[in-house]
Amino acid sequence: MSRVVVVGSANLDLGVAVPHLPAPGETVLGEDIAARPGGKGCNQAVAARRLGAATLFFAAVGDDRFGADVRAAITAEGLPPEHLTTVAGTATGVALIVVDAAGENTVVVAPGANARLTDDALAALPATLGPDVVLVLQLEIPLATCLAAARHAREAGARVVLNAAPLPDPVPPAMATLLRHVDVLVVNEGEALRLAGAPTTDWAVLAVALRALGPAACVITLGERGAIHADATGATDHPAFPVDAVDTTGAGDSFVGALAAALADGRSLAEAVRRGCAAGALATTRMGAQSALPTSAELDRFRAAHPELSHA
């Protein structure tokens, strides 16, 4: 079985559907609030696990009710809870999510315990890594922790996938060091532009340029236009799978989890990106983040319904 290790954030998502996203100073009446487990790290770990990868998850929660809820949800997903650190006297991370009738969203994250996931909490990480492992990182935890995890992966011969989101503003100097420890960089359009410091929207050119910052390969996700990836052989465009989107909240994490699971399974980067595009599209057809993440069987059926788009 393929092996994925995720080091990242764990939140409780508080989501509400509204007819339209509020403008500054505007109050909009929404529907009933929904509380669900989330966080980019947790979402990506669940995504990889549902797609068949043997997945471990290193994260931190607070010693509050939300932390207990997140721990229970992680366990219910089949993720071993022993690498989930509880930080005393600290609140669990919370994401406030507003989704409009078109499926677009705004998200505000209060990091809580995620900001206290330090290298000390990764003492068991090196023993979980090896040449057959894909390590997945994001930026909802301290950058120093990401760098420490990436260095552990390098020493163990594991591959590193970095989803550089949310990207700090301004981009800290330590990001340059982290990128040199990355095998596959995954960014959206805005993150790609900010990292490259270039105004171009020629995404193939930009993906190639981002490789010069250190990663062996770069993937730029383009929402309803699919994705593009660049590696040593050049750039490849991947059209999107057509869907009727109702909520885009979990799409990016579904993409990353599917990509990591595919790479851990020995698939090519091109095939991993195709699976990521399909998983991301499928996630937009359901409300929520983790509740929208597809299983392996669901993803296979979805791809079978779109044979013209399922091969790189």
Side-chain angles (χ1 to χ4, degrees):
M1 183 180 288
S2 55
R3 297 176 58 208
V4 173
V5 176
V6 180
V7 177
S9 56
N11 295 331
L12 192 74
D13 289 351
L14 300 177
V16 60
V18 296
H20 65 271
L21 298 179
E26 181 185 9
T27 298
V28 176
L29 290 178
E31 299 177 8
D32 291 343
I33 196 163
R36 305 181 179 97
K40 294 190 71 63
C42 192
N43 293 344
Q44 291 171 13
V46 170
R49 176 71 179 84
R50 287 190 187 172
L51 293 174
T55 306
L56 299 178
F57 180 41
F58 288 76
V61 296
D63 58 353
D64 54 3
R65 174 60 186 273
F66 286 174
D69 291 345
V70 170
R71 182 179 291 274
I74 287 172
T75 303
E77 285 289 345
L79 293 169
E82 60 262 28
H83 302 305
L84 190 61
T85 299
T86 298
V87 183
T90 299
T92 298
V94 173
L96 307 174
I97 304 169
V98 180
V99 183
D100 70 10
E104 294 298 324
N105 66 76
T106 61
V107 182
V108 177
V109 177
N114 294 310
R116 292 165 176 80
L117 181 66
T118 65
D119 192 20
D120 292 339
L122 304 183
L125 178 64
T128 70
L129 301 173
D132 60 336
V133 172
V134 172
L135 173 71
V136 182
L137 304 169
Q138 330 75 35
L139 300 179
E140 285 184 341
I141 59 174
L143 190 59
T145 306
C146 287
L147 182 55
R151 283 172 168 155
H152 288 313
R154 273 283 181 264
E155 292 170 0
R159 284 179 291 178
V160 178
V161 173
L162 171 66
N163 177 208
L167 190 62
D169 188 14
V171 178
M175 180 63 68
T177 304
L178 177 58
L179 289 174
R180 291 195 292 270
H181 290 76
V182 170
D183 294 284
V184 182
L185 171 68
V186 182
V187 287
N188 64 20
E189 296 152 276
E191 293 151 1
L193 290 168
R194 287 178 55 207
L195 271 179
T200 181
T201 55
D202 186 329
W203 304 114
V205 170
L206 201 58
V208 171
L210 287 172
R211 289 189 64 240
L213 299 181
C218 174
V219 180
I220 303 177
T221 59
L222 303 172
E224 62 184 13
R225 288 166 291 149
I228 192 162
H229 88 264
D231 56 17
T233 65
T236 302
D237 182 67
H238 300 268
F241 288 77
V243 293
D244 293 323
V246 298
D247 183 3
T248 59
T249 304
D253 294 334
S254 185
F255 179 100
V256 173
L259 179 138
L263 291 177
D265 199 35
R267 300 176 191 264
S268 69
L269 178 59
E271 168 61 9
V273 173
R274 294 308 303 143
R275 289 185 68 81
C277 285
L282 189 51
T284 70
T285 64
R286 306 166 180 167
M287 293 296 295
Q290 287 184 26
S291 56
L293 300 173
T295 64
S296 183
E298 290 170 334
L299 184 60
D300 289 343
R301 285 196 298 270
F302 180 71
R303 294 189 73 191
H306 301 281
E308 75 284 1
L309 295 173
S310 292
H311 300 286

